Amino acid sequence: MNLSSLTIPGARAAVQERKTTATALAESFYRKIGKDDPQIGAYLALCRERAISKATEMDALAAKGENLPPLGGVPIAIKDVLVTKGIRTTAGSKILGNFIPPYDCTAVARLEAAGAVMLGKLNCDEFAMGSSNENSAWKPVHNPHDLSRVPGGSSGGSAAATAAGMAVAALGSDTGGSIRQPASFCGVVGLKPTYGRVSRYGLIAFASSLDHVGPLAKTVKDAAILLRTIAGRDPMDSTSAELPVPNYVAELDKPVRGLKIGVAKEYFGQGLDNEVRNTVEAAIQKFAALGCEIVEVSLPHTRYAIPTYYIVATAEASSNLARFDGVRYGYRAAGVRTLSEMYRRTRDQGLGAEVKRRIMLGSYALSAGYYDAYYLKAQKVRTLLTRDFEDAFTKVDVIVAPTSPTAAFKLGEKVDDPLAMYLADIYTVTANLAGIPGISIPCGETTEKLPIGMQILGKHFDEATILRIAHAYESSRQSSVLSS
Ligand code: GLN
């Protein structure tokens, strides 16, 4: 079986039809991880015992001829910001280096209830802060398409493991692009749902009003299956929406003819690499060929998105990360004499440079005297950015844009320049500020054979339409590859 091209329906069918067993499938993934991951660095922990126990359960069902659940026997891996009972969960940080959570996050619980086999936990930037995975306290992740390049971040391990066939698919988190940008750098599909669509219970918080849980997968259909599994109201997350979850998979093949695709000039401005621009523009022409109408829209406040995001995100982070104090769980500095020395030394030794930078920026933005000038102002601009989308969506069904201004950059290229790193998020952060859903799908490659991603943004809770349009594009691309 070719693990690199295995999809969710493919893996499930193989187990259901007894062409393999879920146990053998999990073992082949572990062998591949053992062989390939030393070069890539996607995994931080493996949970073989738990995987084999779930696989055995699925094999027993298949042996009895019973229908497997939707993810029956499918090997999936999880970003290390999602807590897993009894399995070390570090969020890429030393301060959680010895943290064994006492409970499962809702997204993982739902995947396993649907029969998924959890292989292990995936590397990421510390507390999901970063765009290259180089802020992981443990090790960098290398892009499977070119090991000298970053996989993107912060869900770099999730994107790299999926692209390299070291998991059929993965879960990631997206606070300002962390699912979509690594998906685009690694040539896979990444979906950030609407805020409230997927429970955040058990997601280690970075910025609670911007954090989202979502899938990374090889195909749009796989992303649709995963979203349907993890979505829906959860009493453990009061911000999760009470709305019914559509059958995204059943809607994938509905026609796209006549749908209106918005294109905003603000997403094609300065700083956009020419190859990325040309590829995304060619993809937009493809939508016209599929019978969609291309409509120009304007998102006039877009240039304020990065500063607004980096105020709101750091402010919330400074508050969320106050809990890591060495008292209740996680790392505690040794040899300290007073309480305040324990706090200071624990946080100094346990947190990395980028995390400290953000705690300081956020504390500053929230401090008396600066609150109105920065935090309050950013909240007002956030409303304007949201209204930009609301206005645009009165005219169009979706908006198409590049996911990232460039393809994957080199490891080390931006580590000493945080501002340059922040600018890599220019096209992704607004969807988080507005809470709208967005998907990144592969749409071509550079002359150096690096993947290029395109982003499709939709209306609140309208994941069905972005998935449908993404699926239509993906199918048309595959048929043109097959016929060429
Ligand atoms: N790159 C962005 C940041 O560093 C987004 C991170 C994320 O989505 N978790 O904040």
Side-chain angles (χ1 to χ4, degrees):
M1 195 170 302
N2 181 357
L3 300 189
S4 302
S5 58
L6 194 60
T7 60
I8 293 175
R12 179 181 173 277
V15 177
Q16 178 83 71
E17 291 156 18
R18 312 282 286 151
K19 293 193 180 119
T20 182
T21 61
T23 321
L25 191 58
E27 289 299 355
S28 5
F29 273 95
Y30 282 126
R31 274 195 300 279
K32 189 162 169 62
I33 294 165
K35 182 165 80 55
D36 295 344
D37 204 42
Q39 290 82 49
I40 293 178
Y43 277 88
L44 293 179
L46 300 175
C47 45
R48 180 180 257 112
E49 213 176 298
R50 180 155 160 180
I52 296 304
S53 138
K54 181 52 89 178
T56 309
E57 199 187 303
M58 291 301 118
D59 286 336
L61 284 182
K64 279 193 270 171
E66 280 183 37
N67 230 345
L68 293 182
L71 295 170
V74 181
I76 307 276
I78 307 295
K79 184 178 182 181
D80 207 30
V81 290
L82 290 159
V83 303
T84 41
K85 186 175 179 178
I87 314 284
R88 191 174 85 121
T89 301
T90 71
S93 182
K94 266 198 210 154
I95 211 157
L96 287 176
N98 61 5
F99 178 49
I100 312 282
Y103 68 103
D104 278 324
C105 69
T106 298
V108 167
R110 289 186 178 176
L111 286 185
E112 287 189 324
V117 172
M118 178 169 70
L119 295 173
K121 304 300 293 288
L122 296 165
N123 205 348
C124 56
D125 285 301
E126 184 173 6
F127 288 109
M129 296 175 187
S131 308
S132 68
N133 216 116
E134 291 163 295
N135 295 336
S136 164
W138 311 116
K139 56 186 176 185
V141 179
H142 298 258
N143 191 314
H145 294 269
D146 174 348
L147 296 177
S148 70
R149 290 178 189 268
V150 303
S154 63
S155 312
S158 306
T162 305
M166 295 191 293
V168 171
L171 287 188
S173 68
D174 190 313
T175 304
S178 278
I179 289 176
R180 291 160 288 153
Q181 183 254 23
S184 113
F185 280 15
C186 291
V188 298
V189 175
L191 171 65
K192 180 195 90 64
T194 309
Y195 188 78
R197 181 57 102 184
V198 175
S199 169
R200 289 179 295 111
Y201 180 65
L203 167 65
I204 295 175
F206 161 9
S208 306
S209 77
L210 301 163
D211 291 345
H212 300 68
V213 178
L216 293 100
K218 285 182 211 117
T219 65
V220 174
K221 187 172 185 179
D222 280 4
I225 296 171
L226 289 169
L227 178 63
R228 182 160 158 75
T229 310
I230 62 176
R233 171 75 187 162
D234 173 14
M236 300 306 280
D237 173 3
S238 62
T239 65
S240 70
E242 201 71 72
L243 299 171
V245 178
N247 185 346
Y248 301 112
V249 182
E251 294 197 21
L252 284 181
D253 289 316
K254 278 198 191 161
V256 297
R257 177 167 292 279
L259 287 179
K260 292 198 174 77
I261 310 265
V263 178
K265 60 176 177 316
E266 291 85 357
Y267 279 66
F268 290 85
Q270 231 188 359
L272 176 58
D273 174 85
N274 264 332
E275 278 190 304
V276 176
R277 176 196 309 272
N278 295 339
T279 308
V280 175
E281 281 176 353
I284 292 169
Q285 287 319 309
K286 190 88 172 211
F287 285 119
L290 289 169
C292 300
E293 191 184 332
I294 312 298
V295 180
E296 204 176 299
V297 292
S298 172
L299 300 165
H301 297 94
T302 298
R303 68 194 177 98
Y304 302 115
I306 291 276
T308 304
Y309 169 80
Y310 276 97
I311 298 237
V312 175
T314 57
E316 292 185 20
S318 70
S319 157
N320 272 326
L321 271 60
R323 74 191 65 176
F324 301 108
D325 54 8
V327 177
R328 284 152 297 186
Y329 57 97
Y331 175 78
R332 176 184 299 172
V336 289
R337 281 181 306 265
T338 65
L339 183 63
S340 69
E341 192 188 349
M342 183 189 75
Y343 290 151
R344 273 186 284 112
R345 299 250 312 259
T346 295
R347 288 166 71 81
D348 183 37
Q349 293 165 15
L351 299 172
E354 181 60 27
V355 174
K356 287 178 185 158
R357 174 159 37 240
R358 295 196 188 201
I359 292 172
M360 287 190 280
L361 282 170
S363 308
Y364 181 80
L366 288 175
S367 57
Y370 295 106
Y371 182 94
D372 288 1
Y374 294 109
Y375 185 70
L376 200 62
K377 180 91 146 254
Q379 292 291 24
K380 289 179 180 168
V381 181
R382 180 175 189 175
T383 302
L384 296 177
L385 286 159
T386 307
R387 281 194 199 143
D388 278 1
F389 280 119
E390 283 165 4
D391 287 347
F393 284 131
T394 61
K395 302 184 194 90
V396 295
D397 297 292
V398 299
I399 293 170
V400 172
T403 305
S404 170
T406 64
F409 44 88
K410 294 262 186 197
L411 279 145
E413 194 178 315
K414 295 188 203 272
V415 269
D416 299 324
D417 188 351
L419 271 184
M421 195 71 97
Y422 297 171
L423 281 174
D425 306 332
I426 188 155
Y427 303 135
T428 47
V429 294
T430 327
N432 299 72
L433 289 163
I436 58 169
I439 190 168
S440 178
I441 55 170
C443 67
E445 50 184 33
T446 65
T447 42
E448 290 176 286
K449 300 264 174 260
L450 299 171
I452 296 174
M454 134 173 101
Q455 187 178 204
I456 306 171
L457 301 170
K459 299 174 190 168
H460 284 118
F461 295 102
D462 194 15
E463 288 86 358
T465 302
I466 59 173
L467 283 162
R468 173 152 63 109
I469 292 187
H471 181 69
Y473 175 82
E474 182 188 66
S475 313
S476 75
R477 196 165 164 239
Q478 273 156 3
S479 51
S480 60
V481 172
L482 290 179
S483 61
S484 65

